[in-house]
Amino acid sequence: MSRIKVINEPSELVPMLRAVDTPVKRAVLKEVTLEWKTADEIEKKYGPEGRAATIFFEKMKLVETRWQSTGGNFPEKSYHSYYSSFNINAQWPVYEISDVLAAAMMGEEEYAEIEAKILEQVGKGGKFSGDVAEVLGLSSTMLKSLVRRSVKMDYRGHKIEILKENDHV
């Protein structure tokens, strides 16, 4: 089946840019585009970073999953690319796209600091994104881009919530 991911909002570019920001992520994405692969197969070939890539792809909704029998005692989760192509509507104001690109290309250390601040604001119960943006002095586009980059939190409507481990594993 051929599925097309339509990107209409600038912050939706962040997962795409982050999906190919390392050689391992790029290679894993190519592999799961061609055929179903289990997390163990990916980890054997690419190490822990490969397994982490599958978790990232799942959170970003770039892969679909299914349970596959591998001859062991238990079935294993396997991954395959959800989309066969992307359609990007690329007409956005400069101030929005600059926030998106800054969030996507931010260094890991700087991102970890701001992610921690967002998580602190969100707390266990979640928080309205407008309140978080105001407290941290971020534009809504920047906040949305930073949240979309994270595997620890996600949007649920206009609220940001911390993901439980089993939400994306």
Side-chain angles (χ1 to χ4, degrees), residues 100-167:
V100 169
L101 295 175
M105 296 176 179
M106 186 180 292
E108 290 299 323
E109 222 173 90
E110 182 182 358
Y111 178 72
E113 285 179 31
I114 194 143
E115 181 185 42
K117 289 177 185 176
I118 296 168
L119 289 167
E120 182 182 322
Q121 285 297 311
V122 169
K124 292 184 184 209
K127 195 168 187 179
F128 177 65
S129 62
D131 294 341
V132 175
E134 187 176 324
V135 168
L136 296 177
L138 300 170
S139 71
S140 62
T141 302
M142 177 60 96
L143 179 61
K144 195 174 283 189
S145 299
L146 293 166
V147 170
R148 289 224 164 109
R149 178 174 168 171
S150 179
V151 294
K152 298 177 182 176
M153 59 187 144
D154 205 358
Y155 273 87
R156 300 268 159 75
H158 294 286
K159 192 176 182 182
I160 302 170
E161 294 183 355
I162 295 176
L163 293 173
K164 297 175 194 80
E165 282 299 313
N166 60 3
D167 281 353

Side-chain angles (χ1 to χ4, degrees), residues 6-53:
V6 179
I7 297 176
N8 289 316
E9 181 184 312
S11 65
E12 292 175 359
L13 282 175
V14 174
M16 293 309 311
L17 295 170
R18 300 302 298 178
V20 295
D21 67 348
T22 69
V24 170
K25 281 184 186 172
R26 238 181 349 267
V28 171
L29 186 60
K30 285 179 184 178
E31 284 217 24
V32 298
T33 298
L34 298 174
E35 61 185 306
W36 287 92
K37 293 286 187 176
T38 66
D40 284 347
E41 290 172 327
I42 295 293
E43 188 168 14
K44 280 179 190 164
K45 189 167 183 179
Y46 299 102
E49 189 181 348
R51 185 177 288 268

Side-chain angles (χ1 to χ4, degrees), residues 69-131:
S69 178
T70 58
N73 292 336
F74 301 100
E76 289 185 58
K77 191 182 245 187
S78 60
Y79 301 85
H80 189 266
S81 176
Y82 195 76
Y83 302 104
S84 58
S85 61
F86 295 90
N87 180 356
I88 301 172
N89 175 3
Q91 186 173 350
W92 299 300
V94 171
Y95 69 88
E96 282 189 50
I97 199 69
S98 65
D99 281 350
V100 169
L101 295 175
M105 296 176 179
M106 186 180 292
E108 290 299 323
E109 222 173 90
E110 182 182 358
Y111 178 72
E113 285 179 31
I114 194 143
E115 181 185 42
K117 289 177 185 176
I118 296 168
L119 289 167
E120 182 182 322
Q121 285 297 311
V122 169
K124 292 184 184 209
K127 195 168 187 179
F128 177 65
S129 62
D131 294 341

